[in-house]
Every structure is written in C-alpha cells, then in structure tokens.
Amino acid sequence: MSGMHLSKEFFELLKAIGESKSKQEEDRIIQREIATLKKKMESKVSKVSIGGPTPPQNQLNANKKKAKEFLVRLLYVEMLGHDASFGYIKAVELAASSSIIHKRTGYLLCSACLSPAHEFRFMLVNQMQRDMSSSSLLEVCASLIAVTSIITSDMVPAMQGLVVKMIDHSSEIVRKKAIIAMHRFHQLAPESVERQELVEKLRKVLCDRDPGVMGSCLNVIESLAVVDPKPFKDLVPSLISILKQVIEHRLPSDFEYHRVPAPWIQMKIVRILAVLGKNDANASNGMYEILGETMKRADVGINAGYAVVYECVRTITSIYPNSMLLDAAADAISRFIQSKSQNLKYFGVTGLASIVESHPQYATAHQMSVIECLEDRDETLQRRTLDLLYKMTNPANVQFITEKLLDFLRGTTDSFLKKDLTTKVCRLAERYAPNNLWYVETVTELFTISGDFVIEEVSQQLMTLIAEGAGEEGDEDADTYLRQYSVAIYANLLHRPISKLPQLLIETMAWVLGEYAYLSEDCTLEEIIDKLCELVRKGKQLKESTRRTLITAVMKLIAQAGTCPPHAAKIIDDFTKAKDEDLQQRCIEFQNLITTIPHILGEVLPVDASCEDIQVDENLSFMNAFVRQAISNGAKEYEKPEDDDEEEDDYIASKTGKASVFKMTPYEKPPQPGSSYNRSAMAGVGSNMSSTSMGAAGTNVTPPPGTYRTTQQNGLSNGTSSMANEPQLNVRNVANVWGKSGVSNGTKSSTAVSSSSPAPASLSTPTAPASNSSWSYTNTYTSQTAPATVQVVKTEEQLRKERMAAALFGGSGSSAPSSVTRPSIPKRTEPRRITPSASESSVRGGVMPVTDSTPPAAAPEVDLLDLMGDFEPAQISAVPDVDILAPSPLEDTQTKSSSTKEETPLVDHEDPFAASGLLGGLSDAPLSSLHSDRIFQHEGQSLAPLQITTEQFGAKWGSVPHTCPLSATSAKYVTLDALMELCASVGLKNIESIPASSEGICGGMMNGSELILLHGKVTPSGSSAKVDMTIKSTDVKLGSCLSMYLQNLIR
C-alpha cells in the first residue's frame, strides 16, 4: 500500500466501494465519505512559532499531499453521482500551486466537475494565462490541456493570442497541443477564430518537421473537411506525398506498430482523401495509385494492416469510381468475409455494405458467405449483415429480406435495435412492396412484433391504403377484395390476448373492422361487436385515444347491424360518465340517437364513407330563416364597408367580364399516383397474378397470387409476367407510389417478356479472385485450364443455403418461408370479370380461353450481314433488344445468311464474304447504323431531351445538388459543333451554343423525374482539344454513369 501513495482512509474507501453489493449500500458509503471530507475542510491546525502562536490554519492548506488526495476523493464522489460542490474551491486553489502534480490535479477536477456556466471557470483564466507564459514546459502543456476543457466561448478572445503564439513554440509537444486548442476555439466561437486563419495554421503545421505534430493536425483537417472540403482540395498532392513517405518507412522506427509504419496516420490520411475525392474526378485521379500501393503494402497479415486495408476499401467506394481499384477492393472484401476470424468477417460485411450501394454486382460473388454470416451465432455480425441486406434490397428480394428482418425482430430484446429494424422494415415495405396484400400483411405482422416502435404515420398510411385501394378507377373489385382480406386478418387477431396487441394495432383493427366488418365471411357483425366490447372491458390500461377508437367502431357496427346488443348498450352507458370529455360526449350523443331517432343512424354513421367528400353549403342557405327572423325583429342588415374598394372592383370585374387582379381559377388536379412510375421497378417476387386468379368480389374469395400463400404453393414464381390490372400499393405521403401499370418495361408485351426472360443470376455464381500474398490495385487475372467436371452431391443444408442465396441475389423468393399469419378465406367459385390487357385481348366476359401448352415460336433471328440487301422484314410482335456490336460466332452467321439468299456467281476475291456474294452493292463506307445508336441508358431507361430555355437552365442550375466534372483530351471532338452533336447523339437537348467562348449547355431527363444539366467547353490545342464538362444531376449515380459514358466517347 505504501507504493500506491494512498492513505488508509482512501484505501478503505476504494475497497468498500468495490465490495458493495447494491446501489443503496454504495450510496451509504459515499454519504459517509462526504461527511468525512466536509470535516477535513472545517478542521483547523494551530502552529507555535518564535513570536507566539499563529492563527489556526486548515490542514489541507498546510499539507499539499493531503489536498491532492482530497480532490481525488471528491472526484470519486462526483463520478458516483453525488454532489461535491463544497470542495470546488480547493481545486481552484490547487490549480495555482507551484507543484506540477498538484496543478494538474486541480485542473483535472475543474475540467471534470465545473459546469459550463460555473463562476469558478472565470477565476481560472488568469491562472491559465500565467501558466501559458511560463518558462516551464510542463506548466505550458498543463494549461493547454486545461484550455480545451475549461474555456467557454466568452473566454476565447482572452486566450486566443497566447495559443496562436504557442503554434511556433520550439517544443513539438507544445505545438501539437496548441493546434488542438485552436480547433477547440473554432468550435466554441467561429466568429472569433476565423476559418481561413485556422486553415492557414493547419497548412503550416501539416508541413511540420515532427511527424507527431503533423499527425495531430490530421484530425482537425478531417473534421473541417467534412463540413466544407473546398479549402482543402489543393492539399491532395501534399497528403498523397505524406502518405507515400509513410508507407515507404521514411518515418522513425518509433512510429511503427508491428511492422506497419504509422498505421493511425495512414488511416487518417486515407479517410481525408475519401472526403476530398467524393464526387470529384480530378481529385480522385491522383489518389488511385497511392491507394492501390497502400493496400498492397498494408497486407502483412496483422490486424493493424487489415485496418489500413479496410479504410482503403471504404475510400475506394467513396471517391470517383475506378474499375481496377474496385476489383482490388472486392478482392480484399472477399478475403475478409471468407476468413475464420469474426473480426475480419465483420470487416468484410461492412466493406461489402459500402460497395454494394453503388456497385451491387460485387455482392453476387459472396452470396453464400452472406448467408453464413446471417446465421452466425455472433449477434454483432448478424446485425451488420442485416444492415447489408437492407442496403442491397430491390424489388426482387424485398420479401426475403423483410422476412429475415422480422425474424430477427422476434428474437431480440434490445430496444434500440428493435427501433432501428422497425424503421427499416417500414421503409422497405413502403418503397418496394410488390402488391397491396403483401404490404397489409407485412405491416400488420410488424405491429404484432414491435408495435410500440412503429410511428403513427405508418398506421395512417395503412388505413388510407385500405380505404382508397389502388387509387385506380374501374378496379373496384380489387379494392373490395383488399378490404375483405384485411378484415379477415384483423378478425383473426381479435382472438389474441389483449396483452399481446400493441395499442396502435388495436386502433388500426378497430377502424378497419368498424368500416368494413360487413365484408367478413367468417364472423357476423354481432360476433365482432362482442369481441370489441371484450377488448374495451379488459383494456383497463388502454390510452384514451385507443378507447375512443374502439367505442366508435362499436357504434358503427351497431348502425350496420341495425340492433344494439345489451352488453354494447351497457358499455356505452358506462362511458357516458367517463372522465374523458370527448368519449363522454360521443357516448351521450349516440345514446340519444339510438333511443330517440334510431332510423337516422345509417345517415349519421354511413357504411364505407371515409373517403367521401363532405358537401359544404358555400352560401350558408340554412341560415336564411334565422336572418329573416332577425331582420323582422329589428336587426340591422349587413352593409359592406365603404373603404373596401378592392373587393368591390373585383366584384364589378366579375360581373362585367373584365380581368380580375386575383386569379380565381382553381389549381389543376394532380396526376394519378404512379402514372409516371415504371412498373418494372416494382416487379418483385411473388407479385405475379394469373388472369384466372381474381374473381368477383363477394363470397368465397381467396388471396390472389403474389401473396406469401400463393408463392409457397406455386414454387418458383415467374418474376416477369404480371396482370395489368393487379392491385398495387398506393400510400400517400411517401417517397414511392405504387400504381396499376404492368410489369413489363415500355411497350414490350407480356408475351415477349416471358419468352425472353433470363435465368436467375444466382444459377451461375462467379468466383471472386483470391490471393494468398497481397492485394494490388491492378486487375490481373490469369486464365487456367478448367478441371474436369465432377458431379458433387450436395447436402440438404447446402441446398437450403443455396435456395436462400437464390432468393436474396436471384429474385426467387418462393423458398423463403413466410411467418405472417394467413387468414382462412374460402376460395372463389366465380371467375372475376376484369378488363382485358394488351396480352389478353382474347378474353371476353370474364372467361379465359383454353390456351395451347405449346411454347410460343421464337422470334426470327436478325441477319446482321444482310441489312442492305433486298428482303422483307419479319413481322414480329416484340423484338428483343439486340446489341449489333456484340461479338457473335462467325461461321453460324455466314451459314444462316447464305441460306436465306439466292445463289450468286462466285467472285474471285480473297474475302470470304465477297466470295459468298454477301457484299454485293456495298461500299467501303462504314454503316451509319453502327454509329447512330448512342442514346445513353441507365437501369433500363433511355435519356430523353429536356425542352427548356436558357433562362430556365440557369434557374435550375443552382438547385440541382450533385455535380460530376469531366476533363479529357480528344482528337475527335476539337470543335464546339462536334461536341454538341455528340451530346445530341446521347439523348441530350442542345439548349444554346456560344461560339465566341466555345461553350455550350444541354439538358436531359431520365424516367420522367431525374434532371441532367450539362455545361461543356472546348479548348483547341493543335490537332487535339481539351474538353471540359460539368454534369449536374438530381441522382449522383446517374450523373457519374453519364460522365464515364461521355468520357469514353470523347477519348
């Protein structure tokens, strides 16, 4: 104990705290300690001197060692949640001590315990100024450390000048702490420490001769660059140079950690490069080489090197994309995710989540690894894998991923994780729901699992969907069936104990049953009334809003049934005396209606009237009798004020037909939701509906294919064919809207789509390249002879994982079991009358014709070598997309082409095409058709011209958020006219050209909503020219793809 320099009292205190069994026992110990410390402050010690006795003195002032221990014990009291403000003054006194140990102890207690508005902070300003001006290096460092914790915004001007001087101090330790203090000043008082001044100081410190000082400014540069990277763009070459010196072991050996040179400095610089290179092609071009070299040198097989590689992967996915670096990052991720170490697997899943957002094709190679991580026992790894699944969700795998999120929600008890996963499920359901029924089932299941974490807006959207249906005219049968199916779901939930029903779910159930319970085939209205009344009786802890919703639903059902059961009447009578005034008023009014004028209940509580417009009497004609009676009793008639000239002018103008200063024309109605939305983006697994699966709404109905039930029954779903009249989700006030448009893109018919549907991507799984030594940013792959094919017998577990991978990556969701409760609804006995779609024009009267099981004939092959000859084009219903520039087998093409032409005399040419007579009438000029199809396409959509003027272009330029610069040297496009022709060929609209400055502007639109604005400039230089373009778009991915596409064309 002597080596610990602790007194016996302090040692006993620490021992008692450590051995305490409960919080109450710990509080008693601290209370005794507070009483002891107060006595020490009050105790006096008398001293005898030569001149006589001196006045009594506090023992803490007499013994600095005891004063230091006193402050440490105060710190323990504060840490354990008790007030020790009675001893703060001793901390201020000890901060002025000449002993550096006591001074630092005083500063420590003041930094940890003093509140920001405490008056003792101002008492420390003079002391910190004196210490900063001291010749002692230790006192200067102690004051700089205290400044960052003790100072407030009001004190910054008093300390700023001294701290700025410390940046030029001869000691590297002082310079390091001074730059950190300047950053703190800028955070507290940006108006006192200008950003430009701080940036200049950072530039100076970045070139400091000491690596520790240089490394200290990297944190400050990163925090400032995240807010505004522009002032640091020109530091990219300097940061690259520093990073190159670090990885080449030019720093002292003291900075190495397990053979990795300064790993923390490397990671910090790489993170700064990620911030500076984001959406900046010029800045990113200089980073490619150093990032690849850093990844290569960091692969030394230890954790510090893996950390550097991971930061490089994150940076590569953040900056302007480079294909070779992305391949190297994918290789690193492959090694991480296939490692046996849980930490490296976590790295791999996190890295894959960062790369899959912008480049989803790299995730396909790791589908089995992702499935294994999803089923791992490590909960942290499972959470990170779920985050990966959320980021890679698309319409094809939304059902599988949502089921996995719901399964994880059922098993976790972490409230923070539940809230996060609940939010993610809501977003996925709103954005990618394949059909309305799936949305209702999923959100209802989410209510039952974590209803306390679902926001009320989700419930409102669900009720709006059920009330309004798909929002399409002429589709009343689908809307009716959706309501009937929802009633069946919520009627089954009434049998659950009320303790397992969240209150938000109870409110949703009550509203749906109150509006549409008459559609139920399993329960009568009286039975549903009984269940709702039972919920009211047992729900003693229900919120007032929930109780109101239940009582209102009972009232609606009574009006629909035409009779009031005794127990329902008793409940309504009991609540006429409720403390809730709103509920009390509702019950009293309903009781009066049912006892006096029951025949108008149907008008007061009409059936399915939630979406009906309220008729408003604009003229208030019901007040005419009251007005006439008041006038007859002597009341004065209303007279318009004399100074109301403007209203009088408008009234006269409306009578005379002159134009009014006010525009009284109502706004146009908004377009139907989903009218411009591409239905193919919503074509998820299980959303397919055959033409015979929907019958007339009414009795004996079953859910249409597309729900979980049908997906399980039908096995692998088609994924591409869909009925045009399939009911789709239409939720108001959300980012995505579901309409009734078909699955196929553009004008393709369902026959063409089904005949040319590709095989699932998961059937051919590419293997990620692996390396046993190190990664390199160059993409080097060696071709090897394929081994002989061996038939491998797979276990049931492997087959199960492969089916899960197919559902996740290939779009086949039929193998994923569904856990959503299915209501039992009898099958329909009548076929449903529907409007025939384009591919079903032969359907009449709701009866489907017998179709031939013979597969449709394939479309005639296009002879690409006979485009200029005399031939009749084949008449086909839908031509598949053919890439005429794609390589094809030469021999087959020649054989097919020669067989379709008449025999011609042989010509003595060496060219086999000429020898076959295939070049008759052709010149050496290139085919124009091979150069005309340059229209830019993105995610299946073509770029369309944007018809706007120069003024409109300028107005939109500042509001478009994402910028992608492009700079390239071209020998083909050396004039402005050539560049504008190139822009027009890719689908852009040439808005204006300025020959004087060789500048031009263009505009385009993608998918009817995404804007693209382009500004280009040509600078001739000899036989070539420098082409500079600035592309602004509302979608960063779209702008980046167009930039790379134009760059390839220009070069």
Side-chain angles (χ1 to χ4, degrees):
M1 190 173 68
S2 60
M4 298 172 63
H5 304 288
L6 299 178
S7 65
K8 183 178 179 181
E9 291 181 353
F10 192 15
F11 179 79
E12 294 295 336
L13 170 66
L14 298 180
K15 183 179 178 182
I17 293 175
E19 295 176 351
S20 59
K21 302 298 183 181
S22 63
K23 175 64 176 173
Q24 291 76 13
E25 183 180 354
E26 181 185 280
D27 291 340
R28 288 194 296 269
I29 295 172
I30 297 301
Q31 291 296 337
R32 289 197 302 267
E33 179 65 16
I34 291 175
T36 303
L37 295 177
K38 287 182 177 180
K39 289 181 180 179
K40 287 182 178 294
M41 288 191 65
E42 298 171 357
S43 61
K44 305 292 182 180
V45 176
S46 298
K47 291 185 179 181
V48 180
S49 61
I50 298 176
T54 59
Q57 194 175 20
N58 191 300
Q59 63 175 351
L60 297 180
N61 296 334
N63 191 335
K64 294 296 182 181
K65 181 179 179 181
K66 290 185 177 180
K68 171 178 170 291
E69 183 178 297
F70 175 83
L71 293 186
V72 176
R73 293 164 74 171
L74 278 180
L75 191 58
Y76 270 89
V77 172
E78 286 278 347
M79 285 192 302
L80 295 175
H82 296 264
D83 181 31
S85 58
F86 59 88
Y88 290 169
I89 188 63
K90 289 300 177 184
V92 177
E93 293 176 1
L94 209 61
S97 174
S98 58
S99 172
I100 187 62
I101 297 179
H102 299 157
K103 182 185 293 292
R104 292 177 64 179
T105 304
Y107 279 143
L108 174 63
L109 186 66
C110 293
S111 302
C113 300
L114 294 182
S115 63
H118 204 286
E119 60 273 12
F120 284 178
R121 286 179 180 260
F122 295 93
M123 298 172 61
L124 293 168
V125 173
N126 290 334
Q127 183 60 43
M128 288 187 293
Q129 289 176 339
R130 286 194 297 269
D131 291 340
M132 208 169 292
S133 303
S134 173
S135 58
S136 173
L137 185 64
L138 296 177
E139 291 184 355
V140 173
C141 292
S143 62
L144 285 173
I145 294 174
V147 157
T148 58
S149 303
I150 296 177
I151 201 168
T152 61
S153 58
D154 298 333
M155 307 175 194
V156 170
M159 303 298 301
Q160 181 179 352
L162 292 172
V163 174
V164 171
K165 292 179 181 179
M166 294 297 104
I167 296 179
D168 299 324
H169 199 276
S170 59
S171 173
E172 63 274 6
I173 299 177
V174 175
R175 297 198 301 271
K176 183 193 305 183
K177 298 182 185 303
I179 195 65
I180 296 174
M182 283 291 294
H183 181 219
R184 178 59 178 164
F185 289 171
H186 176 71
Q187 290 177 334
L188 292 174
E191 67 281 356
S192 299
V193 181
E194 296 182 358
R195 184 183 180 88
Q196 186 61 33
E197 178 185 359
L198 182 57
V199 171
E200 292 301 325
K201 297 295 181 183
L202 289 173
R203 292 176 183 274
K204 181 179 179 180
V205 176
L206 187 63
C207 302
D208 195 278
R209 60 183 179 272
D210 185 83
V213 179
M214 179 271 299
S216 67
C217 74
L218 295 178
N219 290 319
V220 186
I221 291 177
E222 183 187 16
S223 61
L224 295 178
V226 169
V227 179
D228 184 15
K230 292 182 180 179
F232 303 97
K233 290 286 187 179
D234 58 342
L235 290 181
V236 172
S238 301
L239 293 170
I240 293 175
S241 176
I242 294 172
L243 182 58
K244 186 175 182 180
Q245 296 179 51
V246 172
I247 64 177
E248 291 177 353
H249 294 267
R250 297 187 186 181
L251 297 186
S253 59
D254 295 342
F255 289 89
E256 291 189 2
Y257 179 80
H258 292 277
R259 305 190 309 276
V260 179
W264 287 273
I265 292 180
Q266 288 191 55
M267 289 185 284
K268 187 62 67 174
I269 293 177
V270 169
R271 281 199 292 264
I272 296 174
L273 293 178
V275 176
L276 300 181
K278 188 175 183 180
N279 299 330
D280 191 337
N282 294 331
S284 300
N285 284 333
M287 304 176 188
Y288 296 151
E289 182 178 358
I290 191 63
L291 287 175
E293 188 67 21
T294 302
M295 288 181 65
K296 180 179 179 180
R297 290 176 178 265
D299 181 25
V300 293
I302 62 174
N303 290 336
Y306 292 145
V308 175
V309 173
Y310 170 70
E311 290 296 340
C312 290
V313 169
R314 292 187 59 188
T315 301
I316 290 170
T317 59
S318 300
I319 63 176
Y320 200 80
N322 178 272
S323 58
M324 290 184 292
L325 277 181
L326 287 172
D327 291 339
D331 187 19
I333 291 172
S334 176
R335 295 185 60 183
F336 284 151
I337 204 170
Q338 294 175 5
S339 173
K340 295 181 180 180
S341 172
Q342 294 294 95
N343 293 332
L344 294 184
K345 280 186 177 181
Y346 187 90
F347 268 5
V349 173
T350 308
L352 191 59
S354 64
I355 199 174
V356 76
E357 290 186 83
S358 54
H359 305 85
Q361 66 273 15
Y362 289 103
T364 308
H366 311 293
Q367 39 186 308
M368 297 306 298
S369 299
V370 172
I371 296 300
E372 291 177 358
C373 293
L374 189 62
E375 298 180 347
D376 198 279
R377 294 181 180 180
D378 188 347
E379 186 175 348
T380 305
L381 186 59
Q382 284 185 348
R383 293 186 183 187
R384 184 55 61 184
T385 309
L386 289 174
D387 184 59
L388 168 64
L389 297 184
Y390 172 72
K391 292 182 179 180
M392 62 187 296
T393 305
N394 55 56
N397 58 19
V398 61
Q399 290 179 294
F400 174 80
I401 292 178
T402 304
E403 278 298 316
K404 288 299 175 183
L405 294 177
L406 291 175
D407 288 341
F408 201 83
L409 262 175
R410 294 186 187 96
T412 184
T413 56
D414 188 345
S415 59
F416 296 99
L417 178 62
K418 271 196 168 186
K419 183 176 181 181
D420 180 58
L421 291 181
T422 300
T423 303
K424 289 180 178 179
V425 172
C426 291
R427 291 174 181 173
L428 295 181
E430 291 172 3
R431 185 174 183 182
Y432 297 114
N435 53 62
N436 295 344
L437 298 177
W438 181 88
Y439 181 83
V440 173
E441 289 180 344
T442 302
V443 174
T444 303
E445 181 69 10
L446 183 64
F447 279 146
T448 59
I449 297 173
S450 58
D452 296 335
F453 299 98
V454 182
I455 58 177
E456 292 186 3
E457 284 77 5
V458 177
S459 175
Q460 294 294 330
Q461 292 166 4
L462 178 61
M463 291 187 288
T464 302
L465 168 68
I466 296 173
E468 297 182 352
E472 302 288 343
E473 296 181 0
D475 202 11
E476 292 298 329
D477 291 342
D479 295 346
T480 302
Y481 178 70
L482 173 65
R483 294 161 188 158
Q484 185 179 14
Y485 195 65
S486 303
V487 168
I489 292 176
Y490 293 127
N492 287 340
L493 290 178
L494 289 175
H495 300 285
R496 293 191 179 185
I498 190 173
S499 59
K500 296 184 178 180
L501 296 176
Q503 301 207 26
L504 191 59
L505 175 59
I506 294 177
E507 293 180 9
T508 308
M509 291 167 49
W511 185 87
V512 172
L513 294 176
E515 291 288 337
Y516 305 109
Y518 64 92
L519 296 174
S520 176
E521 298 178 351
D522 298 330
C523 302
T524 63
L525 292 179
E526 289 76 11
E527 292 175 348
I528 295 179
I529 292 174
D530 293 342
K531 291 293 183 180
L532 293 177
C533 292
E534 185 178 354
L535 285 179
V536 175
R537 286 195 303 269
K538 293 182 178 180
K540 303 298 183 181
Q541 306 298 327
L542 292 178
K543 296 187 298 184
E544 293 181 351
S545 59
T546 307
R547 192 174 287 108
R548 288 190 217 115
T549 308
L550 285 171
I551 295 298
T552 305
V554 171
M555 296 177 182
K556 292 179 181 178
L557 293 177
I558 292 174
Q560 295 174 18
T563 179
C564 182
H567 52 276
K570 184 178 184 306
I571 287 180
I572 294 175
D573 183 66
D574 293 341
F575 281 106
T576 56
K577 310 175 187 64
K579 295 181 180 180
D580 183 6
E581 296 179 356
D582 188 357
L583 180 59
Q584 183 188 60
Q585 181 179 355
R586 295 187 189 192
C587 293
I588 293 176
E589 291 177 353
F590 183 82
Q591 197 175 56
N592 291 334
L593 285 173
I594 201 170
T595 54
T596 56
I597 44 177
H599 57 278
I600 68 168
L601 276 179
E603 299 179 10
V604 177
L605 299 172
V607 177
D608 192 12
S610 59
C611 297
E612 293 183 2
D613 296 331
I614 300 176
Q615 300 296 330
V616 179
D617 187 357
E618 297 180 355
N619 298 322
L620 303 180
S621 57
F622 60 90
M623 297 288 293
N624 291 341
F626 175 79
V627 172
R628 287 194 298 269
Q629 182 179 359
I631 293 176
S632 62
N633 294 335
K636 186 178 180 181
E637 293 189 26
Y638 172 76
E639 295 180 0
K640 185 178 296 186
E642 297 179 358
D643 57 348
D644 195 1
D645 298 332
E646 294 183 359
E647 186 176 350
E648 183 69 22
D649 294 340
D650 293 336
Y651 178 76
I652 296 174
S654 64
K655 293 298 183 181
T656 58
K658 297 181 180 180
S660 173
V661 294
F662 293 105
K663 294 181 179 180
M664 307 303 294
T665 305
Y667 290 111
E668 295 181 359
K669 292 185 177 180
Q672 287 292 337
S675 59
S676 63
Y677 191 83
N678 183 13
R679 177 63 179 87
S680 64
M682 296 302 301
V685 176
S687 63
N688 314 309
M689 298 177 62
S690 63
S691 58
T692 60
S693 61
M694 295 290 289
T699 60
N700 300 327
V701 291
T702 54
T707 61
Y708 291 146
R709 180 184 305 175
T710 307
T711 305
Q712 294 174 348
Q713 293 174 353
N714 295 342
L716 291 175
S717 61
N718 211 348
T720 55
S721 63
S722 176
M723 177 182 273
N725 290 336
E726 177 180 357
Q728 295 300 320
L729 185 62
N730 177 16
V731 182
R732 298 187 302 181
N733 302 325
V734 292
N736 292 281
V737 181
W738 288 267
K740 197 179 62 171
S741 58
V743 175
S744 57
N745 292 333
T747 60
K748 294 181 181 180
S749 65
S750 60
T751 305
V753 175
S754 61
S755 63
S756 61
S757 58
S762 61
L763 298 181
S764 58
T765 305
T767 304
S771 174
N772 294 328
S773 58
S774 61
W775 293 293
S776 173
Y777 69 96
T778 57
N779 188 12
T780 57
Y781 295 95
T782 59
S783 59
Q784 300 178 355
T785 304
T789 304
V790 180
Q791 186 69 23
V792 180
V793 179
K794 298 181 180 179
T795 64
E796 184 64 28
E797 180 68 15
Q798 290 175 330
L799 293 175
R800 183 185 65 83
K801 290 185 177 181
E802 288 183 0
R803 288 194 295 268
M804 292 177 63
L808 177 59
F809 294 88
S812 175
S814 59
S815 59
S818 173
S819 60
V820 178
T821 304
R822 307 296 190 279
S824 57
I825 300 181
K827 295 184 178 180
R828 291 180 175 166
T829 57
E830 289 184 11
R832 176 185 171 190
R833 293 189 297 274
I834 58 175
T835 304
S837 60
S839 61
E840 301 165 341
S841 58
S842 61
V843 181
R844 293 293 183 267
V847 180
M848 295 298 298
V850 179
T851 58
D852 189 4
S853 60
T854 305
E861 297 186 5
V862 180
D863 190 354
L864 302 182
L865 300 178
D866 200 17
L867 292 176
M868 302 299 293
D870 297 331
F871 67 100
E872 289 294 328
Q875 301 295 330
I876 56 178
S877 59
V879 181
D881 295 333
V882 179
D883 187 359
I884 62 175
L885 298 180
S888 58
L890 185 60
E891 297 178 0
D892 296 339
T893 306
Q894 291 177 355
T895 303
K896 295 177 182 178
S897 177
S898 60
S899 63
T900 57
K901 296 189 62 67
E902 299 178 0
E903 295 183 3
T904 57
L906 295 176
V907 182
D908 187 15
H909 290 301
E910 296 181 359
D911 192 343
F913 291 91
S916 301
L918 299 177
L919 298 181
L922 298 181
S923 63
D924 293 335
L927 295 177
S928 60
S929 61
L930 299 181
H931 302 276
S932 60
D933 188 13
R934 285 181 174 173
I935 299 298
F936 173 71
Q937 292 189 349
H938 180 69
E939 296 182 352
Q941 299 294 323
S942 299
L943 181 62
L946 179 63
Q947 305 294 338
I948 58 175
T949 63
T950 304
E951 292 76 10
Q952 294 172 333
F953 181 93
K956 293 179 179 295
W957 182 264
S959 60
V960 178
H962 304 293
T963 304
C964 295
L966 185 153
S967 181
T969 302
S970 175
K972 297 186 293 185
Y973 303 97
V974 295
T975 63
L976 179 62
D977 293 338
L979 180 63
M980 300 302 284
E981 289 179 3
L982 170 65
C983 296
S985 66
V986 301
L988 294 170
K989 163 68 176 177
N990 293 342
I991 300 174
E992 184 178 1
S993 301
I994 308 176
S997 57
S998 296
E999 294 180 87
I1001 56 176
C1002 305
M1005 177 173 288
M1006 184 74 73
N1007 199 20
S1009 59
E1010 303 293 345
L1011 293 180
I1012 296 178
L1013 304 178
L1014 183 144
H1015 172 269
K1017 183 176 182 180
V1018 180
T1019 306
S1021 177
S1023 60
S1024 61
K1026 182 181 180 183
V1027 179
D1028 295 309
M1029 288 186 178
T1030 302
I1031 301 173
K1032 302 196 73 173
S1033 63
T1034 53
D1035 183 3
V1036 62
K1037 184 178 178 182
L1038 172 62
S1040 300
C1041 293
L1042 178 59
S1043 175
M1044 288 189 289
Y1045 182 71
L1046 289 174
Q1047 189 173 18
N1048 292 332
L1049 292 179
I1050 291 172
R1051 290 178 177 176

